[in-house]
Amino acid sequence: MKEAKLRDRVILITGASSGIGEATARHLAGEGATVVLAARRRERLQHLAEEIAASGGRALAIPTDITVDADRRHLVEHTLHTHGRIDALINNAGYGQRGPIECVPIEAIRQNFETNLFSLIALTQLVIPILRTQGRGRIVNVSSVAGRIARPFSAVYDATKHALEAISDGLRGELAPFGIHVIVIEPGFIRTEFLHVAQDVSRSVLERAEPYAPFIADLDRWYERWQRWAGRPEAVAAVIRRALTDEPPRPRYAVPGHAHLLLALKRWFPESLFDRLLRQQMGLARHLSSS
Ligand code: NDP
């Protein structure tokens, strides 16, 4: 039944060249959707489109840097020109800037907001009129548990996702009268290229964050330990499929189990207790007690 709902739906996915976006494209194409793949790495997209076509699916690869206005316009126009419609937009492209706020250059902060938030809004603005004219559609915004819980040394990225949560909540109310659903996905730790990219992007900041070096070293060990609990991108893809087919969809979906747990703790614990727990878990508490 649910598969029938996705058959021939045209679904635009940003960040489709790896991780969650790639798994989602595969999953949705496997259920009959026509997927439009957007990201910067052309060969990766092409390869995925060919793989999907070889297994009987339909995929269109459109190399796109979502921070570039002309690319965003081309993405939407090319999709419309080829398929004549867009049924859903999955705003998934994003990366994480790490580092103590004191040390992250303001330009790097702007860049993280540019990719994770402003470009996402700009692309959404291009797609809304199309969905409105069609009288229905879904916009799925891939946020994070970090959209509700801000962590030391990741607060720039976390702020982009907190802002995305607010934009999504506002948009949900604005678009409901037009039959357009806006849904937020809140993944916990997922095994993708995300950490590797975050580390790459943040290397120069982390190397120059001298006074914070011991905390960052402990934090890195914590992230390594957490990898054991990391979920699979396919699990997020399955939840995105639900967001596209549930009638009506929920405003938010968290995935996997540890994401539900973290959000519940954040919701029900007193703030100071939650802070303490988080610092303890992240290996930062011992620095506090020794100071
Ligand atoms: P990956 O690094 O594997 O994938 C990120 C994707 O975003 C890539 O396809 C990348 O493609 C694309 N991207 C980045 N910048 C741009 C850009 N300027 N233009 C177009 N595409 C871009 O990470 P994930 O799959 O894990 O991340 C997907 C989403 O999930 C992100 O929004 C992330 O914040 C969120 N998330 C991830 C979690 C995790 O633990 N992995 C947890 C919670 C949320 P390319 O480089 O080819 O352009």
Side-chain angles (χ1 to χ4, degrees), residues 4-264:
K5 282 190 189 165
L6 288 179
R7 186 151 298 283
D8 299 327
R9 293 270 180 254
V10 177
I11 303 179
L12 206 163
I13 307 169
T14 69
S17 62
S18 71
I20 292 169
E22 179 182 357
T24 301
R26 241 185 230 116
H27 188 111
L28 300 179
E31 302 209 350
T34 297
V35 289
V36 179
L37 316 172
R40 291 165 299 183
R41 284 171 291 179
R42 176 183 298 269
E43 303 73 29
R44 291 263 200 128
L45 290 185
Q46 202 50 48
H47 189 267
L48 179 60
E50 283 163 15
E51 180 202 307
I52 288 172
S55 45
R58 278 182 306 274
L60 172 67
I62 308 181
T64 307
D65 182 336
I66 56 156
T67 65
V68 176
D69 180 55
D71 280 19
R72 292 190 296 263
R73 289 181 188 283
H74 175 254
L75 173 64
V76 173
E77 281 159 17
H78 192 6
T79 303
L80 270 188
H81 181 74
T82 311
H83 295 301
R85 58 187 294 115
I86 297 174
D87 295 294
L89 167 64
I90 300 176
N91 282 314
N92 165 75
Y95 73 92
Q97 173 68 53
R98 294 186 63 204
I101 294 169
E102 180 188 344
C103 308
V104 185
I106 202 74
E107 205 34 63
I109 298 177
R110 284 209 177 93
Q111 192 54 46
N112 208 183
F113 272 87
E114 192 60 51
T115 302
N116 293 9
L117 188 71
F118 302 137
S119 304
L120 179 155
I121 295 172
L123 178 61
T124 305
Q125 286 173 334
L126 295 177
V127 172
I128 287 171
I130 298 162
L131 302 183
R132 207 179 43 236
T133 307
Q134 291 168 183
R136 62 184 223 173
R138 296 196 182 192
I139 297 170
V140 178
N141 290 334
V142 179
S143 174
S144 170
V145 165
R148 309 245 241 143
I149 300 173
R151 301 154 296 169
F153 306 107
S154 296
V156 170
Y157 167 72
D158 298 351
T160 70
K161 294 297 187 180
H162 272 65
L164 177 56
E165 298 265 342
I167 288 289
S168 305
D169 284 346
L171 206 55
R172 192 168 60 253
E174 290 171 13
L175 297 184
F178 301 106
I180 302 167
H181 294 288
V182 179
I183 304 130
V184 175
I185 308 294
E186 296 174 328
F189 290 96
I190 308 296
R191 206 168 292 117
T192 65
E193 296 175 15
F194 184 85
L195 261 189
H196 173 75
V197 173
Q199 206 61 21
D200 247 19
V201 166
S202 313
R203 182 160 292 118
S204 61
V205 173
L206 295 173
E207 281 170 2
R208 279 185 283 108
E210 179 46 37
Y212 298 92
F215 318 136
I216 292 169
D218 276 352
L219 200 61
D220 286 345
R221 278 191 285 276
W222 179 75
Y223 276 120
E224 240 161 65
R225 278 201 304 277
W226 256 92
Q227 282 307 300
R228 192 161 14 124
W229 304 104
R232 294 164 51 248
E234 288 76 16
V236 186
V239 166
I240 291 176
R241 193 277 312 263
R242 282 182 54 201
L244 292 170
T245 54
D246 279 356
E247 293 289 0
R250 301 207 306 254
R252 283 181 169 71
Y253 294 80
V255 59
H258 71 246
H260 290 277
L261 178 65
L262 288 167
L263 291 170

